[in-house]
């Protein structure tokens, strides 16, 4: 067994152990993720570097086209999925389709410039050190959206870099087999709420237009909302988070259509590790939709 295969297998087994899985059936399908990896583009640097967009990772050769699954499959957009509600924070989205940006990097730079040293909501005077805009691949097929920066993110100016961020990295890399830098990660609000409280509705309303512009610049194939705050700002719904997990939701923003998957926030998973199995089920839906090899 070569060292790269051994490392990937060890990482996968460690991830399964963290999920609480004690026994694994070793089948050809279970070993599929450990086949020699396809040639991938080098991970894109953080957005702060304003590097040119890289091709989607994995590239077309690594990601077979998605074949629609039966309607009962969670990978198919669910007929039970609620339509985006006009009461959500994205309610101000223009009805007319907005053309995709010619240059996602330049568009992200423009959005960040428009944000400026933002004072649009009260979070600017409640102890933030800096704005945490977002980081990752401007050409990503997959974007994760959390609720807001925490203490570590506030210090470093990057999203998901604390303990919850490490778990998210494990979910992406050990679970999904992607480089973290191949995806894009951002939050609904760009400034740290005091004591890491949940962002309030007026704060989300002030900041979410910038999230919408980020998503319209990147145009990912799939958005994963981490936790209830992100989910409710992307897809207003009634009921519990559990009621909207586990399936894809069609999402339309300014005439552009994509898919939304909702799962638990990594910080919640740290508090209740028993829910990691459920989060793993969600990631497997994402992997199937994106055509990634599954365990
Ligand atoms: S959270 Fe968003 S809207 Fe509020 S001050 Fe920060 S950047 Fe501006």
């Amino acid at each position: 067994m070569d060292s790269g295969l051994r490392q990937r297998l060890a990482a996968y087994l460690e991830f399964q152990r963290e999920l609480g899985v004690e026994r694994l059936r070793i089948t050809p399908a279970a070993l599929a993720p450990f086949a020699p990896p396809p040639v991938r583009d080098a991970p894109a640097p953080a957005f702060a570097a304003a590097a040119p967009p890289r091709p989607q990772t994995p590239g077309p050769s690594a990601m077979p086209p998605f074949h629609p699954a039966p309607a009962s499959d969670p990978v198919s957009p669910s007929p039970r999925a609620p339509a985006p509600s006009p009461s959500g924070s994205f309610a101000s989205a223009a009805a007319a389709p907005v053309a995709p940006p010619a240059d996602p990097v330049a568009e992200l730079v423009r959005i960040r410039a428009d944000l400026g040293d933002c004072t649009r909501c009260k979070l600017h005077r409640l102890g933030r050190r800096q704005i945490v805009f977002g980081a990752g691949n401007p050409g990503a097929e997959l974007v994760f959206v959390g609720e807001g920066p925490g203490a570590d993110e506030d210090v470093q100016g990057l999203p998901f870099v604390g303990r919850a961020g490490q778990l998210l990295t494990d979910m992406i890399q050990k679970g999904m087999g992607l480089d973290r830098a191949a995806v894009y990660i951002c939050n609904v609000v760009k400034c740290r709420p005091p004591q890491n409280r949940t962002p309030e509705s007026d704060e989300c309303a002030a900041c979410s237009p910038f999230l919408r512009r980020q998503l319209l610049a990147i145009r990912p194939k799939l958005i994963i909302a981490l936790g209830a705050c992100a989910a409710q700002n992307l897809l207003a719904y009634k009921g519990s988070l559990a009621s909207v997990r586990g399936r894809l939701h069609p999402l339309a923003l300014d005439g552009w259509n994509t898919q939304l998957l909702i799962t638990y926030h990594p910080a919640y998973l740290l508090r209740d590790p028993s829910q990691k199995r459920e989060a793993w089920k969600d990631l497997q839906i994402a992997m199937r939709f994106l055509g990634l090899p599954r365990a």
Side-chain angles (χ1 to χ4, degrees):
M1 183 182 294
D2 68 58
S3 61
L5 175 60
R6 189 178 299 118
Q7 280 181 357
R8 292 196 302 281
L9 184 56
Y12 173 74
L13 292 174
E14 174 63 16
F15 183 70
Q16 293 298 321
R17 189 190 64 74
E18 290 172 358
L19 291 173
V21 176
E22 295 175 352
R23 290 187 178 186
L24 278 177
R25 280 183 62 222
I26 304 302
T27 63
L31 292 174
F34 307 104
V39 176
R40 295 181 176 184
D41 296 295
F47 163 65
R54 306 290 179 92
Q56 305 275 332
T57 301
S61 62
M63 298 181 64
F66 169 65
H67 299 291
S72 60
D73 192 300
V75 176
S76 291
S78 168
R80 292 177 294 139
S85 163
S87 63
S89 293
F90 281 12
S92 60
V98 174
D103 183 347
V105 173
E107 180 62 14
L108 287 170
V109 170
R110 196 173 301 120
I111 298 165
R112 180 63 188 89
D114 290 346
L115 195 56
D117 187 21
C118 185
T119 60
R120 290 172 179 83
C121 83
K122 59 183 179 295
L123 289 179
H124 84 277
R125 54 178 164 76
L126 295 180
R128 81 162 185 217
R129 295 189 193 198
Q130 57 186 313
I131 289 171
V132 181
F133 183 69
N137 181 1
E141 287 198 333
L142 175 60
V143 170
F144 288 89
V145 179
E147 63 179 46
D152 294 306
E153 291 76 17
D154 186 49
V155 169
Q156 297 188 41
L158 294 168
F160 284 92
V161 290
R163 281 185 66 224
Q166 182 55 56
L167 178 55
L168 179 61
T169 301
D170 287 348
M171 291 162 69
I172 295 167
Q173 300 192 163
K174 294 179 183 177
M176 302 183 78
L178 289 171
D179 293 326
R180 174 173 160 138
V183 306
Y184 192 87
I185 304 173
C186 56
N187 286 298
V188 175
V189 298
K190 315 301 186 198
C191 300
R192 182 194 179 198
Q195 286 79 52
N196 292 347
R197 65 159 167 75
T198 302
E200 296 175 352
S201 58
D202 60 318
E203 297 157 357
C204 293
C207 210
S208 61
F210 294 94
L211 170 63
R212 183 174 70 236
R213 288 180 62 189
Q214 285 174 295
L215 296 174
L216 284 166
I218 298 167
R219 304 214 170 198
K221 190 173 177 181
L222 177 65
I223 299 165
I224 297 183
L226 300 168
C229 176
Q232 287 168 350
N233 276 277
L234 290 163
L235 181 81
Y237 61 89
K238 290 186 169 62
S240 66
L241 186 77
S243 69
V244 288
R245 277 191 45 251
R247 63 186 186 275
L248 296 173
H249 302 268
L251 182 67
L253 299 177
D254 291 0
W256 163 66
N257 297 304
T258 187
Q259 297 293 324
L260 173 70
L261 186 69
I262 295 166
T263 193
Y264 294 116
H265 194 287
Y268 173 74
L269 298 176
L270 289 173
R271 293 195 298 274
D272 185 357
S274 68
Q275 296 300 325
K276 286 183 177 179
R277 281 178 191 246
E278 295 303 307
W280 175 231
K281 290 179 189 172
D282 295 333
L283 294 187
Q284 288 179 305
I285 293 171
M287 291 165 70
R288 183 170 173 191
F289 178 68
L290 294 171
L292 299 173
R294 290 181 297 158

